[in-house]
Amino acid sequence: MLAYIIRRVAQSILVLLITGFVAFSMFSFVGDPIENMLGQERTQADVDRLRGQLGLDQPFVVQYGKFLQQAAQGNFGLSYRQGREVSAILAERLPATLELAFVSGLLALGGGIGFGILTAIRKRGFSSNAIMTLSLVGVSLPTFLIGILLIFLFSVELGWLPSFGRGEVVDLGWWTTGFLTVSGLKALVLPAITLGLYQMTLIMRLVRTEMLEVLRMDYIRFARARGLRERSINFRHALRNTLVPVITITGLQLGSIIAFAIITETVFQWPGVGLLFINAVQFVDIPVMAAYLMMISVMFVGINLIVDLLYFAIDPRLRVDGKSGGH
């Protein structure tokens, strides 16, 4: 187990280093931030002075090395646009993104597993066919189009929910939350559905496929032959073995919720780190862009690492393979 953990942690660190290098390399070609920071009446002396202050006159390898050294300490430098610490800006925006991802993740997990079980148990029922048909919407339509349709229906036509923003929030000092206000909760509904719908349909279809396969197993037939109740067979025996292979895909989907929140935040003008990244790209704010991608990479790799460890702990076949491989 220890050797497996060390190997997975080492792989995760390597992925982060590669991601940081690729991201930092890409930013060298998105434009020159000096052009946006200085006015039309700038002189070449002003350009050279500011470039030296920002360290942009140094070789790429030196810039990347300093970036990694500072990033390891949680320091991503100053924003070219706002002139503030990037870490402070991310700390202000991160609660909005995490709350949106949390609610979307609950929707994706709860709805995906619940509807997946229902459509597997009653695979020929009217409700199952209706759910499977509606799930095609979540799989087929792009996220931004789903968001626009929800805004048109529930904000423009019905006027039930706000179309943009986070609503009223409560400042707890180290955290700002919209969970404690009515307007904050209402503002969260449409973005959460938009962000979680695609993940929910994928999880639902995966759970349905795996559970249908498990229900065909011999030990399920033996359980029915022994006279066990159908509820016990479905939820005690079939569901437990269904969720083992689902864990890995579910972890990837939860990581995708955080990574792809950028689209939903743009559509709903949600004041999170995704919208911050879009604004940073327009202004060529390299420190903010690099910090965002590194933060998302850390979250994604961290979630995948936790999922891998859970999968190793739950599935005894991996432990057996690991021991035989060690011998």
Side-chain angles (χ1 to χ4, degrees):
M1 179 68 175
L2 181 59
Y4 180 81
I5 294 176
I6 294 175
R7 186 168 65 250
R8 292 297 299 140
V9 170
Q11 292 173 353
S12 301
I13 294 174
L14 179 61
V15 169
L16 290 176
L17 291 175
I18 295 175
T19 302
F21 180 79
V22 172
F24 210 78
S25 301
M26 289 173 56
F27 296 152
S28 301
F29 303 100
V30 297
D32 189 356
I34 305 297
E35 298 292 333
N36 294 322
M37 299 178 70
L38 295 177
Q40 295 293 332
E41 298 180 358
R42 65 184 181 272
T43 64
Q44 187 61 39
D46 295 331
V47 173
D48 295 338
R49 176 180 52 80
L50 184 57
R51 193 178 298 277
Q53 290 177 353
L54 298 177
L56 298 178
D57 58 340
Q58 298 176 341
F60 172 80
V61 177
V62 176
Q63 293 184 45
Y64 179 61
K66 288 184 176 180
F67 169 74
L68 288 181
Q69 183 180 5
Q70 294 177 349
Q73 302 172 1
N75 179 19
F76 295 98
L78 295 176
S79 167
Y80 294 165
R81 183 185 184 188
Q82 303 184 32
R84 300 168 54 207
E85 290 284 345
V86 175
S87 56
I89 299 174
L90 291 178
E92 292 176 358
R93 297 293 194 105
L94 192 57
T97 297
L98 291 182
E99 286 189 354
L100 176 60
F102 174 73
V103 176
S104 302
L106 288 181
L107 173 67
L109 275 177
I113 294 176
F115 287 136
I117 294 172
L118 176 63
T119 53
I121 295 176
R122 302 177 181 178
K123 59 182 179 179
R124 293 185 177 86
F126 174 79
S127 59
S128 297
N129 292 329
I131 292 173
M132 292 301 296
T133 302
L134 291 175
S135 69
L136 293 176
V137 176
V139 174
S140 304
L141 293 181
T143 301
F144 74 90
L145 184 56
I146 294 175
I148 293 173
L149 292 175
L150 290 177
I151 289 174
F152 176 77
L153 177 61
F154 292 101
S155 298
V156 178
E157 292 295 325
L158 299 177
W160 291 352
L161 298 169
S163 60
F164 66 93
R166 196 183 175 193
E168 185 180 354
V169 298
V170 176
D171 190 353
L172 302 178
W174 56 278
W175 191 270
T176 57
T177 179
F179 288 158
L180 302 179
T181 64
V182 176
S183 63
L185 291 174
K186 291 175 66 175
L188 191 59
V189 173
L190 294 184
I193 294 175
T194 302
L195 183 58
L197 185 61
Y198 177 74
Q199 318 300 335
M200 184 187 71
T201 53
L202 289 183
I203 294 174
M204 182 197 75
R205 288 176 172 271
L206 179 62
V207 170
R208 180 179 185 271
T209 301
E210 292 292 337
M211 193 159 187
L212 287 176
E213 185 176 346
V214 170
L215 289 174
R216 298 189 191 101
M217 296 285 185
D218 290 337
Y219 73 91
I220 297 295
R221 295 194 183 99
F222 293 152
R224 289 197 175 101
R226 290 175 55 191
L228 294 180
R229 291 185 302 175
E230 198 69 21
R231 182 183 182 88
S232 177
I233 294 174
N234 291 332
F235 293 97
R236 184 177 179 181
H237 300 283
L239 180 60
R240 180 182 301 175
N241 292 293
T242 296
L243 294 181
V244 171
V246 171
I247 288 177
T248 301
I249 301 300
T250 300
L252 292 174
Q253 297 309 315
L254 293 180
S256 300
I257 286 179
I258 298 176
F260 298 137
I262 183 173
I263 301 174
T264 303
E265 290 185 7
T266 303
V267 172
F268 291 92
Q269 289 298 292
W270 188 262
V273 293
L275 186 60
L276 176 68
F277 177 75
I278 292 296
N279 295 331
V281 171
Q282 295 173 350
F283 196 79
V284 199
D285 198 342
I286 295 177
V288 173
M289 291 190 289
Y292 170 82
L293 289 182
M294 288 300 296
M295 182 188 67
I296 294 300
S297 300
V298 169
M299 289 183 178
F300 209 100
V301 170
I303 290 174
N304 288 340
L305 178 61
I306 293 173
V307 169
D308 286 342
L309 296 180
L310 286 175
Y311 199 58
F312 185 86
I314 292 174
D315 195 343
R317 293 171 297 181
L318 291 178
R319 297 195 294 270
V320 172
D321 292 342
K323 291 179 180 178
S324 62
H327 294 309

